Amino acid sequence: ASIFSNSSSSPKQFDFWFRREADTVLDVSSFFYISFQNGDWVYFWRNGSQVGVTIKQSGTQYGYAGSYTNFAVYVWHHVRIRFSGQDVIIAAGGDQRASYTVPFSNAWPGSPSNPVNDVVFGDFPPLVGSSDYGWRGYLDDIQWLENDYGYIGGSYTVPTRPWGEYDPYAVGTALA
């Protein structure tokens, strides 16, 4: 079974919050990746100046990124990435950062014959990087939407904070 329908062309949108707690050994860190039955995958990441997505289809990797330099540690940041047909839109902090048209028929690799196989948080897809350089922080309020036409690009209103925000430094919070 898939986390989405079997349609590869219906719009799919990923909204999530992240909070860095430390720097990684490498400049790149992985939020999460989704792998498909045939070995394709979609990988969501950040580095020191960008948020992005890398798509592997039919053995070829394509990376797409949007500039976003506000990566303060211990602060929540909102990211929105949308797939619609051949288009990929990357947004962060309430503004569209980039828009791309991919060189294949659909940006989303899933289909009836290629369902989602795994969803892995905080690590790189196989053959991309070492798990020693995974995510160091928190992810919250992850939403995966399909057939939602409420956002098609441009600026958007970011909620004031993630739902159920966790603050490990709040007064009265025991630190391990």
Side-chain angles (χ1 to χ4, degrees):
S2 175
I3 58 173
F4 291 113
S5 74
N6 288 331
S7 170
S8 59
S9 59
S10 64
K12 291 158 182 66
Q13 181 172 303
F14 297 82
D15 278 45
F16 60 95
W17 290 83
F18 74 90
R19 177 180 165 137
R20 283 180 47 220
E21 294 297 308
D23 288 322
T24 56
V25 178
L26 291 178
D27 189 32
V28 177
S29 58
S30 173
F31 295 123
F32 58 93
Y33 74 88
I34 300 169
S35 67
F36 298 86
Q37 186 174 353
N38 72 351
D40 291 347
W41 42 257
V42 177
Y43 153 51
F44 299 81
W45 53 270
R46 64 152 286 273
N47 65 23
S49 62
Q50 300 173 315
V51 291
V53 61
T54 300
I55 304 166
K56 178 185 167 216
Q57 287 196 31
S58 303
T60 304
Q61 294 179 36
Y62 300 90
Y64 304 97
S67 178
Y68 185 64
T69 56
N70 180 21
F71 283 123
V73 210
Y74 312 122
V75 176
W76 287 104
H77 305 278
H78 186 265
V79 174
R80 176 174 286 172
I81 299 178
R82 181 174 179 81
F83 299 83
S84 184
Q86 287 185 276
D87 298 325
V88 176
I89 296 172
I90 299 171
D95 293 313
Q96 179 175 320
R97 305 296 171 161
S99 178
Y100 300 94
T101 300
V102 300
F104 25 86
S105 60
N106 287 300
W108 186 253
S111 69
S113 60
N114 191 26
V116 169
N117 194 43
D118 285 313
V119 178
V120 179
F121 294 91
D123 203 356
F124 291 90
L127 305 176
V128 169
S130 169
S131 61
D132 295 340
Y133 308 124
W135 177 246
R136 296 175 73 185
Y138 298 92
L139 296 172
D140 195 4
D141 200 15
I142 299 167
Q143 298 180 25
W144 298 341
L145 308 170
E146 183 173 43
N147 289 321
D148 184 334
Y149 293 89
Y151 176 74
I152 56 171
S155 298
Y156 63 97
T157 302
V158 176
T160 55
R161 64 183 178 88
W163 179 87
E165 178 180 343
Y166 169 68
D167 185 355
Y169 304 104
V171 175
T173 302
L175 299 176

